[in-house]
């Protein structure tokens, strides 16, 4: 193929009809899938509404309880305490958002929960800084000193103030390294270690609250409510992040069973364990993996499943992008695997339609290949790579599409060179390949640029946003 030339290859040669009619034996399955889709959408909406309602109720409760403790001696100090009680609520919400509670994670999605966690983090830092500023100004006003003198006096004479100050400094540091421009310049391992400072800040903040919780000390009811808020969110965090993964690893005993090179820089790792059906993992989800092997034991990376879970077997397919992923090629059968998950809502759980369009770029084909294996209904797959040699798992995709009666298009060529119909994944090209795209669920996985391009294309083609599914496989910590 000449440089700058695009090729569109239909790997599956069965004629594609825009208005696909399932064969008789698939009719019942299609009707069941339609009913399931309605229920699944309701579950997703229920999860979002439940989380929003719980947050609203608790926010209202802490503020009602706060205002029942008024009046105080100084207005500025009372404003500072107002920010303190709201910071308590925001911190509790932050812990719940990163607790990786399966009921929420599998419906809302890890990436969306992580995004909300970042937003609440900004709010938390703002409320804590405001709390400190108003408390200092209040004490300066009460004692007739300068704010700097009041701050120094509080730090040196009042128990617990120093703990709160250190907690705020840690949170500001974590927030700074989590900003997008800083996050891209740090390795996952370095960023993760710094982000662990959040837990130290939580402990210090709790000790600060215990030492100086004068606002809630005015009422036994408010003190009890604060305890429920604190320990409830900490309990959710410990359950989702520690107890559940520990129980799953003890139960399932996952080990490497096969390591296979797909291409010189892409490797598939097959793992087997005990009673894996109890994990209830789905195609499209991902896990956080640790391998008990040299150079990998202390590293944890999120990789999605590249095949639908089957019996007591799981599989991932990884492209070598760093030292950790490159070392996977040296794994030996029998190596113990430690995992957390499954995570994510990039699954058929949130489908709205009976048919689907799956779009993948590069190694983003891994969850798409798994979805192709699991989803019911007619499916079209668009696989975007620069050259046919970069197409990972293409033989498996070909076999699956033939067996499923699906259609697979391999779209090759440089990204900078458009096709006669415009961009490779632009509106004209998609409409040409998939005329009934508006009636399909669209699942897209690949580089950020490809995902954004597809989302813009679907918007132009007037595909409802609720039918377009994508997910970033990342964590807050």
């Amino acid at each position: 193929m000449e440089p700058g030339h695009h090729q569109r290859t239909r790997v599956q040669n069965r004629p594609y009809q825009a208005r696909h009619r399932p064969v008789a034996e698939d009719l019942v399955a299609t009707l069941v899938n339609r009913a399931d889709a309605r229920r699944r959408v309701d579950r997703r909406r229920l999860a979002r509404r439940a989380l929003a309602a719980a947050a609203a109720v608790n926010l209202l409760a802490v503020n009602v309880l706060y205002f029942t403790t008024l009046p105080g001696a100084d207005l500025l100090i009372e404003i500072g305490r107002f920010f303190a009680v709201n910071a308590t609520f925001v911190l509790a919400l932050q812990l719940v958002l990163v607790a990786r509670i399966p009921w929420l994670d599998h419906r809302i999605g890890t990436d969306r929960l992580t995004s909300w966690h970042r937003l609440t983090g900004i709010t938390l830092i703002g409320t804590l800084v405001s709390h400190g500023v108003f408390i200092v100004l209040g004490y300066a006003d009460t004692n007739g000193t300068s704010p700097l003198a009041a701050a120094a006096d509080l730090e040196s004479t009042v128990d617990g103030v120093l703990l709160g100050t250190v907690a705020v400094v840690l949170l500001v540091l974590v927030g700074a390294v989590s900003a997008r421009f800083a996050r891209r310049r740090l390795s996952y391992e370095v960023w993760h270690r710094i982000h662990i400072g959040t837990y130290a800040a939580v402990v210090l903040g709790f000790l600060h609250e215990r030492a100086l919780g004068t606002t809630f000390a005015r009422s036994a009811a408010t003190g009890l409510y604060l305890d429920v808020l604190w320990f409830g969110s900490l309990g959710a965090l410990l359950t989702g992040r520690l107890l559940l993964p520990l129980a799953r690893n003890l139960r399932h005993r996952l080990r490497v069973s096969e390591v296979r090179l797909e291409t010189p820089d892409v490797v598939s790792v097959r793992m087997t364990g005990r009673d894996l059906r109890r994990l209830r993992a789905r195609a499209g989800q991902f896990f956080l993996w640790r391998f008990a092997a040299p150079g990998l034991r202390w590293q944890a990376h999120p990789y999605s499943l590249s095949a639908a879970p089957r019996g007591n077997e799981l599989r991932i397919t990884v492209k070598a992008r760093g030292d950790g992923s490159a070392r996977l090629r040296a794994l030996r059968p029998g190596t113990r695997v430690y995992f957390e998950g499954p995570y994510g809502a990039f699954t058929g759980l949130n489908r709205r339609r009976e048919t689907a369009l799956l779009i993948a770029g590069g190694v983003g084909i891994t969850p798409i290949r798994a979805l192709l294996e699991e989803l019911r209904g007619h499916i079209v797959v668009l696989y975007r790579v620069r050259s046919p040699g970069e197409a990972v798992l293409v033989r498996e995709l070909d076999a699956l599409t033939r067996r499923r009666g699906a259609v697979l298009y391999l779209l090759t060529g440089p990204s900078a060179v458009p096709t006669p119909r415009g961009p490779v994944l632009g509106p004209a090209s998609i409409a040409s390949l998939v005329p009934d795209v508006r009636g399909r669920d669209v699942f897209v996985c690949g580089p950020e640029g490809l995902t954004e391009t597809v989302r813009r294309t679907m918007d132009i083609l007037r595909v409802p946003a609720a039918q377009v599914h994508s997910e970033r496989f990342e964590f807050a910590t």
Side-chain angles (χ1 to χ4, degrees):
M1 187 169 61
E2 296 178 0
H5 179 68
H6 279 279
Q7 182 175 337
R8 183 176 77 188
T9 304
R10 177 182 286 179
V11 181
Q12 165 60 277
N13 292 316
R14 173 177 294 200
Y16 168 56
Q17 299 176 356
R19 296 184 178 275
H20 174 76
R21 288 186 176 276
V23 293
E25 58 266 27
D26 289 336
L27 181 58
V28 173
T30 301
L31 293 174
V32 170
N33 183 58
R34 185 178 300 173
D36 286 347
R38 294 193 188 100
R39 288 197 298 269
R40 288 163 182 166
V41 171
D42 289 340
R43 290 170 185 168
R44 179 174 60 179
R45 186 180 297 117
L46 174 63
R48 291 177 179 176
R49 289 179 177 176
L51 182 60
V57 167
N58 282 282
L59 179 61
L60 178 63
V62 295
N63 280 283
V64 167
L65 291 172
Y66 164 73
F67 282 108
T68 61
T69 65
L70 293 176
D74 184 270
L75 177 61
L76 292 174
I77 291 177
E78 288 304 320
I79 293 175
R81 288 172 176 166
F82 167 79
F83 280 113
V85 297
N86 280 278
T88 301
F89 158 75
V90 175
L91 181 56
L93 179 60
Q94 267 215 306
L95 296 181
V96 170
L97 290 175
V98 293
R100 300 176 193 168
I101 301 170
W103 192 83
L104 291 175
D105 186 271
H106 297 172
R107 287 160 176 79
I108 296 175
T110 306
D111 61 339
R112 187 167 282 107
L113 291 172
T114 298
S115 177
W116 294 346
H117 169 80
R118 290 195 184 102
L119 291 175
T120 57
I122 296 171
T123 304
L124 177 62
I125 292 173
T127 53
L128 288 174
V129 171
S130 299
H131 161 65
V133 168
F134 278 99
I135 291 293
V136 168
L137 292 177
Y139 274 96
D141 181 59
T142 300
N143 298 328
T145 60
S146 68
L148 287 177
D153 186 55
L154 285 169
E155 294 284 357
S156 60
T157 62
V158 180
D159 292 338
V161 172
L162 182 59
L163 296 176
T165 302
V166 175
V168 173
V169 171
L170 284 174
L171 288 173
V172 171
L173 174 62
V174 170
V177 299
S178 297
R180 217 171 266 280
F181 72 90
R183 176 70 182 89
R184 290 172 176 171
R185 289 167 172 76
L186 295 174
S187 68
Y188 177 83
E189 290 76 20
V190 171
W191 171 82
H192 184 267
R193 293 189 188 103
I194 295 175
H195 213 94
I196 294 297
T198 302
Y199 302 125
V202 169
V203 173
L204 292 174
F206 178 75
L207 295 175
H208 169 77
E209 156 61 28
R210 281 300 177 185
L212 291 170
T214 54
T215 299
F216 283 91
R218 299 174 191 174
S219 165
T222 53
L224 178 61
Y225 192 87
L226 180 62
D227 285 342
V228 171
L229 201 62
W230 266 104
F231 290 109
S233 59
L234 285 172
L237 183 73
L238 289 173
T239 299
R241 302 293 296 275
L242 179 62
L243 299 180
L244 187 57
L246 180 61
R248 284 173 169 172
N249 279 279
L250 289 173
R251 177 191 301 145
H252 300 300
R253 300 284 180 174
L254 206 61
R255 293 185 181 276
V256 174
S257 59
E258 181 187 9
V259 179
R260 185 178 68 196
L261 283 178
E262 305 289 352
T263 69
D265 62 346
V266 175
V267 62
S268 287
V269 180
R270 197 179 302 273
M271 294 157 282
T272 55
R274 301 184 305 186
D275 201 16
L276 291 184
R277 288 185 179 87
R278 295 183 64 180
L279 277 176
R280 297 183 179 179
R282 298 181 64 103
Q285 291 186 309
F286 67 102
F287 291 72
L288 195 64
W289 306 96
R290 298 175 189 268
F291 297 90
L296 295 170
R297 192 180 303 273
W298 305 111
Q299 295 185 16
H301 295 280
Y303 299 128
S304 57
L305 297 175
S306 62
R310 184 184 302 122
N312 287 324
E313 185 176 279
L314 300 174
R315 190 188 75 174
I316 59 174
T317 301
V318 182
K319 183 175 183 178
R321 291 177 175 171
D323 292 341
S325 53
R327 290 192 181 103
L328 294 179
R329 290 177 292 184
L331 284 174
R332 295 178 178 275
T335 301
R336 184 66 191 274
V337 183
Y338 300 94
F339 66 94
E340 296 177 39
Y343 297 125
F346 191 68
T347 69
L349 184 70
N350 295 320
R351 286 187 71 179
R352 285 179 174 265
R353 301 289 183 171
E354 298 88 56
T355 58
L357 167 61
L358 310 182
I359 303 176
V363 78
I365 193 63
T366 53
I368 294 297
R369 184 254 181 246
L371 284 169
L372 174 63
E373 190 175 1
E374 182 179 280
L375 295 181
R376 300 170 182 158
H378 186 259
I379 296 175
V380 177
V381 182
L382 305 183
Y383 187 11
R384 179 75 174 97
V385 289
R386 289 182 59 85
S387 66
E390 295 180 5
V392 182
L393 304 176
V394 70
R395 290 184 180 178
E396 292 185 14
L397 291 168
D398 186 20
L400 277 171
T401 51
R402 290 180 184 278
R403 187 165 70 245
R404 294 289 316 278
V407 176
L408 170 63
Y409 288 103
L410 186 61
L411 308 176
T412 61
S415 302
V417 181
T419 68
R421 292 182 176 272
V424 181
L425 296 175
S429 295
I430 296 293
S432 171
L433 294 170
V434 195
D436 61 344
V437 63
R438 289 182 62 187
R440 294 175 178 266
D441 276 288
V442 180
F443 291 83
V444 55
C445 184
E448 186 175 348
L450 179 141
T451 301
E452 291 304 315
T453 296
V454 171
R455 283 197 164 274
R456 287 195 299 269
T457 295
M458 296 305 149
D459 186 50
I460 293 171
L461 293 174
R462 300 177 63 187
V463 178
Q467 291 173 211
V468 183
H469 313 279
S470 64
E471 187 168 24
R472 293 179 180 176
F473 306 120
E474 62 178 359
F475 292 107
T477 180

